[in-house]
Amino acid sequence: MVPDSRKPSDSRSARRLNAPRPVGVTALRGRPTMVGGVSVEAIREEWRVADQWWTSAPVRRQYFDLVLETGKHVVVFLDVERDAWFTQRA
Amino acid sequence: MTSNTCSCRTYVLMIACLTISSFALRVALRPRSDLSGLPVALAPASNTPEVIEAFTLAAEKAGLRTGMRLSEALATCPTLVLLEQDPASVADVWEAILHQLEEAGFEVEPLEHGCVLFDTAPVEPLAGGLEQALERAMAAVDSRWQPSLGVAARRFAAVAAASVTVPGRILVVDDADTALFLEPLPLHLLPLSQERREEFAALGIQRLGELACLPRASVADRFGSDADQAWLCARSEDRARVVPRQPSVDLVESIEFPDPVANSSTLEHSLARLIDLLLARPDRKGRALRKVALSARLVSGGSWRRALTLREPSADPTVLRVALTPRLSELPAPALDLKIKIDELTEWQGVQEELLSVRGKRLQEKLREGLRQVRTSVGRYAVCTVVEIAPWSRIPENRAILVPRDD
């Protein structure tokens, strides 16, 4: 029997847990002011991760633990290497 | 199409479909008489594609089309007024309309807000015939909603008749004429996905009659079971009858905030209090909750509503809190109030617990059976194990991976 080409591919392979997801962030002087169109109420914590600098894929991230206007807590980071914002459970 | 009366028709069980066009928009427009005659559209809900779905006649005359992007709509009609969605009012008003129909003796099967099916047979002897029963249904609904009523011997034909008839009118499709009636109607009336409709359109199939004349086996083989069901509908051979809903319950608890609330802990405490009040209501009569709806009026205008069907009916406050609390994070703006409503209760009161807790081999068997059911439902490799690979890593996604289980 010919396999159905429209079916999704075999998802048997392992997947990363807690992979970063792109998010729309408006920042002022490097500090987020809006996340996904919602204003940031407070920055609870801020930290930097620099790792794998000895490889060809170095990691440089600036993490922010935020409280949004709606009361929701989110963690976002700026990928300094790619100049892009992501959200992630840290 | 002929007027279908008891005196001249062979007795056929008729299904009626009552629809109110642009129901959500009309509910949102109710308190805004100042917008009468203006181009108005319902703003897209949060977390949905930014397209316009419902708008007034004035907006249509200004060039708006269903499915138009919001930016394009505003460019086409700069005076367009956008109204916030009000799902809580939509649900309340719709429930009141269903209740009026039930009061008139009809057992209703709501399909969506603004569309309901019911059998006419139980009311015909009371009303004195089909026409009188239909008039009774129309009279049960406030005339300002201008409902359309489509009546046919099949579900789909009834829905199609209601979709094409003029607001405020009744269209009865005689059983012998159903195929003829459906033939010229557009394909978008069928319950098909957009992707499937585009596939049919690419093959030049635009009308129900064009689909109906294709061989059933070819349609099923090429497009699958949903197209097969659509083919049956197009030929008026769908056999499904109306499945009336359980009589609704009116158990509501709400809390109004002195100031708009966005703080998650305040909302969670309020929800916990509302759950306790709801469970303490004597008219619940000890029955467990099957469906619950959480709603709130928003400070930005409009409202927010989430309905939840519990996997297992429960009257345990902890279970309800665990199920409902995550929904609060979906609130798009600060809330002026919070309301919890029971949509459906179980018929029974007690819960049959196991006398002895399951252990050892029996527990393993139950777990295996549970995993088998999950795999059957969502895919062979859906059940995974978390495997730590570098728990010390400073990069969160490098700490663990998900590996599909084989057992």
Side-chain angles (χ1 to χ4, degrees):
Chain A
M1 185 185 269
V2 179
D4 185 350
S5 59
R6 285 176 298 171
K7 279 191 176 169
S9 59
D10 189 349
S11 59
R12 198 174 181 178
S13 55
R15 284 168 287 153
R16 278 179 193 275
L17 191 66
N18 195 13
R21 285 174 292 134
V23 66
V25 172
T26 309
L28 187 67
R29 287 193 286 275
R31 296 167 76 79
T33 53
M34 283 183 98
V35 177
V38 182
S39 296
V40 173
E41 190 71 29
I43 298 176
R44 290 180 58 191
E45 210 178 333
E46 183 181 346
W47 67 98
R48 185 181 288 267
V49 171
D51 207 340
Q52 298 177 6
W53 47 266
W54 59 93
T55 69
S56 57
V59 173
R60 282 199 299 147
R61 295 175 180 176
Q62 186 73 33
Y63 276 88
F64 297 91
D65 185 354
L66 309 171
V67 182
L68 301 184
E69 193 184 38
T70 54
K72 192 176 171 183
H73 286 214
V74 289
V75 175
V76 298
F77 69 80
L78 172 67
D79 187 328
V80 180
E81 292 293 326
R82 290 190 278 170
D83 194 23
W85 287 92
F86 295 86
T87 179
Q88 184 175 43
R89 280 179 288 110
Chain B
M1 245 45 56
T2 58
S3 171
N4 198 335
T5 59
C6 276
S7 57
C8 65
R9 72 184 167 110
T10 309
Y11 193 79
V12 178
L13 288 173
M14 300 299 267
I15 295 173
C17 175
L18 185 141
T19 60
I20 300 172
S21 61
S22 304
F23 185 65
L25 174 65
R26 290 166 73 176
V27 171
L29 273 170
R30 262 189 335 160
R32 299 294 305 271
S33 53
D34 55 311
L35 297 177
S36 174
L38 295 179
V40 182
L42 210 51
S46 56
N47 300 325
T48 58
E50 293 226 317
V51 293
I52 297 292
E53 296 289 349
F55 40 83
T56 57
L57 196 63
E60 190 179 352
K61 282 180 183 165
L64 259 68
R65 296 288 171 265
T66 306
M68 196 179 247
R69 292 191 67 81
L70 182 59
S71 52
E72 192 185 349
L74 289 168
T76 307
C77 178
T79 56
L80 182 70
V81 180
L82 287 173
L83 272 182
E84 288 294 331
Q85 300 262 352
D86 192 358
S89 297
V90 168
D92 289 347
V93 173
W94 183 236
E95 182 56 42
I97 290 172
L98 293 180
H99 192 68
Q100 285 161 354
L101 283 168
E102 284 172 333
E103 288 277 299
F106 297 97
E107 291 185 311
V108 297
E109 180 191 342
L111 296 182
E112 59 184 25
H113 291 143
C115 183
V116 60
L117 288 173
F118 53 87
D119 275 324
T120 58
V123 182
E124 282 182 42
L126 296 167
L130 177 67
E131 281 183 11
Q132 290 84 348
L134 298 177
E135 279 161 16
R136 188 170 173 151
M138 290 292 266
V141 181
D142 195 328
S143 58
R144 71 191 157 140
W145 293 112
Q146 292 191 299
S148 310
L149 198 53
V151 188
R154 307 279 178 213
R155 276 173 74 105
F156 173 69
V159 175
S163 308
V164 298
T165 194
V166 180
R169 301 290 292 273
I170 302 172
L171 176 61
V172 181
V173 181
D174 202 82
D175 195 26
D177 297 333
T178 309
L180 201 63
F181 164 73
L182 293 176
E183 205 179 296
L185 296 183
L187 211 64
H188 71 75
L189 293 173
L190 284 170
L192 285 172
S193 64
Q194 183 61 27
E195 184 192 4
R196 191 70 76 223
R197 276 191 208 121
E198 283 168 8
E199 281 181 323
F200 280 130
L203 292 169
I205 302 165
Q206 307 274 5
R207 311 259 159 217
L208 296 179
E210 290 163 359
L211 175 64
C213 65
L214 295 174
R216 180 179 182 180
S218 305
V219 172
D221 182 47
R222 174 68 182 82
F223 299 105
S225 59
D226 57 336
D228 184 44
Q229 192 57 39
W231 183 87
L232 286 170
C233 290
R235 291 176 65 92
S236 186
E237 291 178 12
D238 52 317
R239 300 274 168 198
R241 303 300 305 176
V242 174
V243 184
R245 69 169 186 167
Q246 293 288 324
S248 68
V249 283
D250 192 22
L251 288 174
V252 185
E253 288 294 342
S254 63
I255 188 166
E256 281 203 22
F257 303 118
D259 293 308
V261 172
N263 182 293
S264 56
S265 65
T266 309
L267 289 168
E268 284 168 23
H269 277 103
S270 306
L271 175 63
R273 179 74 186 130
L274 289 177
I275 289 171
D276 291 342
L277 287 170
L278 200 64
L279 293 176
R281 290 278 291 264
D283 38 354
R284 187 172 65 83
K285 294 177 184 164
R287 292 171 292 173
L289 284 63
R290 198 189 293 279
K291 284 186 189 172
V292 200
L294 203 57
S295 62
R297 280 189 303 119
L298 303 175
V299 71
S300 55
S303 64
W304 167 89
R305 187 177 193 269
R306 288 288 180 276
L308 183 75
T309 303
L310 299 173
R311 196 163 60 87
E312 278 185 21
S314 174
D316 182 338
T318 311
V319 170
L320 292 171
R321 273 200 285 273
V322 168
L324 291 169
T325 303
R327 306 282 162 176
L328 292 173
S329 65
E330 296 169 17
L331 263 167
L336 297 170
D337 67 4
L338 191 63
K339 187 156 83 171
I340 183 168
K341 178 178 183 296
I342 298 179
D343 274 350
E344 198 175 318
L345 284 166
T346 55
E347 293 301 305
W348 35 265
Q349 293 182 2
V351 178
Q352 185 70 50
E353 299 279 8
E354 285 177 305
L355 186 61
L356 302 170
S357 58
V358 184
R359 286 186 205 169
K361 199 178 165 193
R362 176 88 183 103
L363 179 62
Q364 290 298 322
E365 280 173 15
K366 284 191 86 169
L367 281 171
R368 240 192 312 278
E369 175 57 18
L371 291 177
R372 188 191 67 75
Q373 288 184 18
V374 171
R375 287 194 181 102
T376 306
S377 165
V378 287
R380 192 175 162 195
Y381 302 117
V383 181
C384 298
T385 302
V386 175
V387 178
E388 287 193 331
I389 48 171
W392 57 84
S393 175
R394 300 181 67 212
I395 305 170
E397 69 267 29
N398 285 356
R399 292 175 194 152
I401 55 170
L402 281 171
V403 182
R405 289 177 70 108
D406 284 328
D407 55 344

